[in-house]
Amino acid sequence: MSLGDEHGSSGGYADTGQTRTRLPESDPYGGARRGGRSSSRSLVTVVGVVVLLIAAIAFANRGDDSPAGGSTSDKPATSATAATGEKPVQPKSGGIPTGFAHSEAGAQSAAANYSVALVSADILKPANRTAIVKQVFVTDQQATLEDRLNAAYSKEFLSNIGLDPNGNPTKGQTYVSRTVPIGTKATSYSDTAATLEVWCTGLYGTAGANSANPVTSDWFTMTLQLRWTDNDWKVDSFSQKDGPTPVPGDNKASSADEMAKAVEEYGGFTYAR
């Protein structure tokens, strides 16, 4: 759930396609579908595939024959989305990873994980909100932000989305707010501060019989200003905007019961670069 949709506004914080192609049953140009290949051509094709597989296995299993200290300039460069190999995080604290690497990759990992926490069902619960704020934000911003979040997620707001004052849905229903980072980008970086953009998709709504707020999806981008403090990356401020949004697919919507079961059975991820 993007903060701009259901969570409303809380000042500067909580303003804070791909189309499948199906093969036609007949030639799209009016002719009949082509028949199968001849048996001789099929045999040649099978033999060729087997030879290629054997060669691929042999190549994968061979050792690194390059001399120690040899040049690696002929090796392909890692892509922008490849893992860096750095240990991403320390054990979780309150369900949120900590101990991010003091690097640009570490800052991107922190931003991705913090986006998940900031747009979650837990932050709607007063009992969990304080702990999330203390874990995610720099010390000198915690009090101000918690006040803004408390005002944004008021009893009236929670009631409007079908939750009680403690952020819980009615019996038999499951409230969903789950964020999935698609990618991250550092727009500025130094050893003490970084600005990151996190492109996200997510689910939000209430799953269950007779829900007036069914689970739907959205796409949004969060911008987080991070600060290096107490040997970790923490959020100094954040904002959010809609999109980029792909063309909707043609998937059939699941039932409310199927959605509730999926949310209960499938856990979330720790996101790292």
Side-chain angles (χ1 to χ4, degrees), residues 83-149:
T84 63
E86 296 179 354
K87 185 177 181 181
V89 292
Q90 300 295 329
K92 291 185 177 182
S93 174
I96 304 173
T98 62
F100 297 97
H102 193 187
S103 65
E104 183 175 322
Q108 291 190 42
S109 182
N113 280 280
Y114 292 156
S115 295
V116 173
L118 291 171
V119 194
S120 66
D122 282 341
I123 205 165
L124 295 177
K125 300 179 179 181
N128 297 338
R129 191 177 307 141
T130 298
I132 293 175
V133 169
K134 288 183 177 180
Q135 176 63 29
V136 170
F137 285 86
V138 295
T139 302
D140 56 4
Q141 293 288 354
Q142 291 174 7
T144 299
L145 180 63
E146 188 169 7
D147 287 344
R148 291 180 177 179
L149 292 177

Side-chain angles (χ1 to χ4, degrees), residues 63 74 129 236:
D74 57 339
R129 191 177 307 141
D236 188 62

